[in-house]
Every structure is written in structure tokens, then in C-alpha cells.
Amino acid sequence: MTEETSGVRTTEDQEDFRHAVRKLARDEFAPGYLARARTPEFPWAELRKMAALGVLSLLAGEEHGGPEQPEYIAAGLACEEVGYADFNLANALIPPYIVTFILSEFGSRELRRRWLPRIVEGETFVA
């Protein structure tokens, strides 16, 4: 285990994930932050890039591309790294995290089948 300055203990896999999200956020999201902040358009392309990296499936369960157990720390790390580059994109992670967790834990099979794949792939957004 490693320890970050926040005092949260993280695993090597979590640190690798953090660095992958950091690279995506700083290389691809930070340069366009001001332009995105000025437009009313939803950032679908950026959401799909996060989905491709596995960011949206962290709380969705194995059946939908996530880990065996919900990865709360990795979800927090993703929010931190994305938020450093674009605060608005970090806020866009919260609703999918809440809904994917609730659906994976408590949703009917039909609701999970209907919504989780589209959410974790960045094809739809929930609020």
C-alpha cells in the first residue's frame, strides 16, 4: 500500500488508475476547460473518454464492466484528478456513480439490463 498526502491509503492498482485518469484529464480535458465552461453543450465526448478508461463503471459491478466490489476510493481519485482539470466534468461523475451503485445493488434485473450498460459506456446521463 502507498499513502498519499491526503492520508488515504491506496493500493498500487489505485495509484495506477489515478495516474491514468490524471493523464487523460490534464492532457485532454484541461486545455478545453474554458471553452466547455462557456457552452451549454453537454460534454459527451469527454464522458465517453472517461467511460473508455473505466471511470464510469467503478460502482456498477462486475456484470457491467466494474470491479467485483465497488471501488469507492478509485471513484474519489477519479473525481479529484478530473476536477483538477475541469471542475464541471468532475461534477458530471457524481450522478452516474450514485445511480450505478443504487441500480447494481438494489435495482431489478430489468432496470440493470436497461440502464447500466448505457450509463457506464457514457451513452446516456442520469440526474
Side-chain angles (χ1 to χ4, degrees), residues 18-84:
R18 174 202 294 269
H19 292 295
V21 175
R22 178 179 292 166
K23 180 167 178 36
L24 173 68
R26 294 184 184 185
D27 291 354
E28 298 190 34
F29 299 163
Y33 168 67
L34 290 177
R36 278 189 306 279
R38 291 183 183 121
T39 180
E41 300 299 316
F42 189 81
W44 289 110
E46 291 77 10
L47 190 69
R48 289 183 184 113
K49 287 177 183 180
M50 290 188 282
L53 195 56
V55 172
L56 299 179
S57 64
L58 293 170
L59 307 181
E62 271 185 304
E63 182 181 350
H64 299 285
E68 184 178 327
Q69 297 294 316
E71 268 291 341
Y72 305 111
I73 292 175
L77 295 173
C79 285
E80 286 180 355
E81 295 302 333
V82 172
Y84 181 88

Side-chain angles (χ1 to χ4, degrees), residues 62-104:
E62 271 185 304
E63 182 181 350
H64 299 285
E68 184 178 327
Q69 297 294 316
E71 268 291 341
Y72 305 111
I73 292 175
L77 295 173
C79 285
E80 286 180 355
E81 295 302 333
V82 172
Y84 181 88
D86 184 328
F87 176 77
N88 297 315
L89 286 178
N91 278 331
L93 291 174
I94 305 304
Y97 283 158
I98 293 168
V99 172
T100 57
F101 175 76
I102 290 171
L103 284 176
S104 69

